[in-house]
Amino acid sequence: MAIHRQGLANNDVDFDETWGVLEKAFLEIHTKNASALSFEELYRNAYKIVLKKKGDELYKRVADFEQRWLAKHVRERVVNLLTPPLLMLDSVSGRSLTTTAEKKDSGEKFLRELRGAWEDHQVCMSMLTDVLMYMDRVYCQDSRQPSIFAKSMGLFRDQILRKPARPEMPLLLDILTRIILDQIRMDRDGETIQADLIKANISMLEGLYDSDQEVEDEKLYLTAFETDFLATSADFYRTEGERMLRESDA
């Protein structure tokens, strides 16, 4: 997208007014009403702000916007699907006190909502990244800040997964891990589960990192899920092995 520096450099930029245009457009993107937007015009507005050495303020405003959106609109939808069948655990065994059918149905609804939230966030941020391409290329590189896409993925991690689901409750990430492992256990017990939901949520964990620096061996899958998954798998196969030995000796 070619924008000519000459001419723009001599024009004053009202930051708040220009940001207001961008913020309104970002809201339209998040509410799936972006069809009438001119992305070239939006790019030009972001370009002018960065050209006037206000990239740091633009970056902060975008991050604040995304943080508020995730906290107010996305998180509430996800947390509302943490229904009693997913939360009623035996204090000793840690197992759910509800029926398998209830756990399965509630778990699938939760995983489906979280998958949708993650996919929507990625799509919206891809569109915002197109608008903010010049900010990424100039401000983020010069100041060694994460790209706005990487920053927004970190915000999803922090606002959705790394907060307690509700006061006095575990982090939503810990609950997600338990739900996925519970679904896998049901599958091993012969229940039919929605494997695509498991795959999508694990893929989300593989696409998120412990920090905004996105260190490869610090993916959430590795740091928050894999150890528990391997432990429960080892328990399952050990139990299965012992059962098969008993049956073969009988």
Side-chain angles (χ1 to χ4, degrees), residues 177-206:
T177 296
R178 194 182 72 223
I179 290 172
I180 292 176
L181 293 178
D182 208 27
Q183 294 280 318
I184 292 173
R185 182 187 59 77
M186 284 186 270
D187 179 58
R188 288 168 173 167
D189 288 345
E191 296 288 331
T192 300
I193 65 168
Q194 297 292 320
D196 60 311
L197 295 178
I198 304 297
K199 182 179 179 181
N201 280 274
I202 288 178
S203 178
M204 175 188 69
L205 296 179
E206 290 176 334

Side-chain angles (χ1 to χ4, degrees), residues 116-179:
W118 170 243
E119 291 176 349
D120 282 351
H121 187 61
Q122 289 182 297
V123 169
C124 290
M125 289 314 305
S126 292
M127 297 171 74
L128 264 67
T129 296
D130 287 343
V131 172
L132 301 168
M133 194 182 307
Y134 189 72
M135 183 188 74
D136 271 345
R137 192 166 67 244
V138 175
Y139 167 72
C140 292
Q141 288 188 14
D142 288 351
S143 61
R144 299 191 177 186
Q145 292 281 355
S147 70
I148 197 61
F149 188 88
K151 177 68 174 178
S152 70
M153 296 304 109
L155 288 170
F156 188 95
R157 173 198 65 218
D158 295 340
Q159 293 298 316
I160 306 301
L161 299 179
R162 276 191 177 162
K163 283 184 177 289
R166 296 190 182 99
E168 308 302 322
M169 287 180 59
L171 300 181
L172 196 138
L173 178 58
D174 296 334
I175 294 175
L176 170 64
T177 296
R178 194 182 72 223
I179 290 172

Side-chain angles (χ1 to χ4, degrees), residues 64-249:
D64 288 347
F65 173 88
E66 289 303 320
Q67 180 173 328
R68 291 194 306 272
W69 174 265
L70 289 166
K72 183 177 180 180
H73 299 282
V74 180
R75 181 177 171 77
E76 183 177 351
R77 296 201 311 268
V78 173
V79 170
N80 282 344
L81 284 175
L82 288 173
T83 52
L86 298 177
L87 301 175
M88 295 173 61
L89 298 178
D90 183 274
S91 60
V92 177
S93 68
R95 290 229 170 182
S96 175
L97 298 175
T98 54
T99 67
T100 297
E102 289 174 318
K103 286 186 296 181
K104 178 174 171 293
D105 182 61
S106 296
E108 288 174 353
K109 288 178 180 177
F110 173 81
L111 293 173
R112 187 175 292 109
E113 182 64 38
L114 187 55
R115 177 186 66 180
W118 170 243
E119 291 176 349
D120 282 351
H121 187 61
Q122 289 182 297
V123 169
C124 290
M125 289 314 305
S126 292
M127 297 171 74
L128 264 67
T129 296
D130 287 343
V131 172
L132 301 168
M133 194 182 307
Y134 189 72
M135 183 188 74
D136 271 345
R137 192 166 67 244
V138 175
Y139 167 72
C140 292
Q141 288 188 14
D142 288 351
S143 61
R144 299 191 177 186
Q145 292 281 355
S147 70
I148 197 61
F149 188 88
K151 177 68 174 178
S152 70
M153 296 304 109
L155 288 170
F156 188 95
R157 173 198 65 218
D158 295 340
Q159 293 298 316
I160 306 301
L161 299 179
R162 276 191 177 162
K163 283 184 177 289
R166 296 190 182 99
E168 308 302 322
M169 287 180 59
L171 300 181
L172 196 138
L173 178 58
D174 296 334
I175 294 175
L176 170 64
T177 296
R178 194 182 72 223
I179 290 172
I180 292 176
L181 293 178
D182 208 27
Q183 294 280 318
I184 292 173
R185 182 187 59 77
M186 284 186 270
D187 179 58
R188 288 168 173 167
D189 288 345
E191 296 288 331
T192 300
I193 65 168
Q194 297 292 320
D196 60 311
L197 295 178
I198 304 297
K199 182 179 179 181
N201 280 274
I202 288 178
S203 178
M204 175 188 69
L205 296 179
E206 290 176 334
L208 291 171
Y209 299 80
D210 261 347
S211 70
D212 292 346
Q213 281 65 49
E214 299 192 341
V215 179
E216 197 64 21
D217 60 358
E218 293 181 355
K219 292 183 176 183
L220 285 191
Y221 175 85
L222 299 174
T223 62
F225 178 80
E226 186 180 58
T227 299
D228 289 339
F229 172 64
L230 292 177
T232 56
S233 296
D235 287 343
F236 170 77
Y237 288 113
R238 182 172 54 253
T239 302
E240 280 294 289
E242 292 170 352
R243 180 185 63 80
M244 293 175 71
L245 283 173
R246 287 195 303 271
E247 291 178 354
S248 66
D249 291 338

